Amino acid sequence: MSKKIKYLLECYLTQKIGVEIKCCLMFFLILCFYCIYRWVTNFTQASILHMLEMVLLAYLIGWIQNLLHYDFDEVDALRLREWVSVILSSLVYAVAGHFGGWFEGNIAICIWFGLYMVCAYLCSYLIYKIKRTIDAKHLNEDLQRFQNRLKDEV
């Protein structure tokens, strides 16, 4: 396999893994809201069709964000571009929840769901930012130890 093909494959896999992780996270957050709604409204069952819609929508939005480079979770600060992505994505989820019948057409719940998704995106951003900070700290410590070891060997 040539180096160029290997490089392109690595780039693709890196993007795909990132989208898959975000898709799973968003689906889990959507499902939590949905299940709590179902429980509060005295429904003991959840629709598998609704869950399929949720996961496919999370996957679609994840890829769109990735392809448009709206990776809100990989930036150092939320600027206008990231805010637009967060709000539009949350709006799409809320509208899909309404038209998909996830909340029995209850517009107030769909609005709450949209606000919940904005909060979910912001929490995800903060968690990713904290993780990147910790990872950078560990990498810098590893680099310092490596440099010290090289100095000791010379």
Side-chain angles (χ1 to χ4, degrees), residues 92-146:
V92 168
Y93 283 121
V95 170
H98 175 70
F99 288 112
W102 302 349
F103 308 110
E104 284 76 43
N106 187 331
I107 293 176
I109 295 298
C110 290
I111 292 169
W112 276 110
F113 176 59
L115 295 172
Y116 166 82
M117 290 307 295
V118 169
C119 291
Y121 272 110
L122 295 177
C123 288
S124 298
Y125 162 75
L126 291 172
I127 289 167
Y128 276 105
K129 186 174 182 174
I130 291 168
K131 183 186 180 318
R132 280 193 318 275
T133 302
I134 292 169
D135 287 348
K137 178 184 169 201
H138 288 154
L139 284 172
N140 286 332
E141 289 171 355
D142 288 345
L143 177 61
Q144 187 64 43
R145 280 194 298 274
F146 177 75

Side-chain angles (χ1 to χ4, degrees), residues 53-64:
E53 292 168 355
M54 292 170 189
V55 75
L56 290 175
L57 185 60
Y59 196 73
L60 178 67
I61 288 175
W63 269 111
I64 289 171

Side-chain angles (χ1 to χ4, degrees), residues 19 57-71 85 89:
V19 170
L57 185 60
Y59 196 73
L60 178 67
I61 288 175
W63 269 111
I64 289 171
Q65 287 175 337
N66 184 276
L67 294 173
L68 295 176
H69 303 290
Y70 284 115
D71 296 330
S85 176
S89 298

Side-chain angles (χ1 to χ4, degrees), residues 12-73:
Y12 170 74
L13 286 175
T14 300
Q15 286 185 335
K16 182 159 178 45
I17 290 168
V19 170
E20 295 288 340
I21 290 169
K22 283 187 259 187
C23 172
C24 291
L25 175 63
M26 289 297 123
F27 173 62
F28 177 74
L29 292 168
I30 295 166
L31 191 60
C32 282
F33 187 95
Y34 176 72
C35 288
I36 290 170
Y37 167 78
R38 301 289 291 174
W39 178 66
V40 167
T41 56
N42 292 319
F43 289 101
T44 58
Q45 297 175 349
S47 169
I48 291 180
L49 181 59
H50 288 168
M51 288 184 234
L52 178 62
E53 292 168 355
M54 292 170 189
V55 75
L56 290 175
L57 185 60
Y59 196 73
L60 178 67
I61 288 175
W63 269 111
I64 289 171
Q65 287 175 337
N66 184 276
L67 294 173
L68 295 176
H69 303 290
Y70 284 115
D71 296 330
F72 70 93
D73 55 325

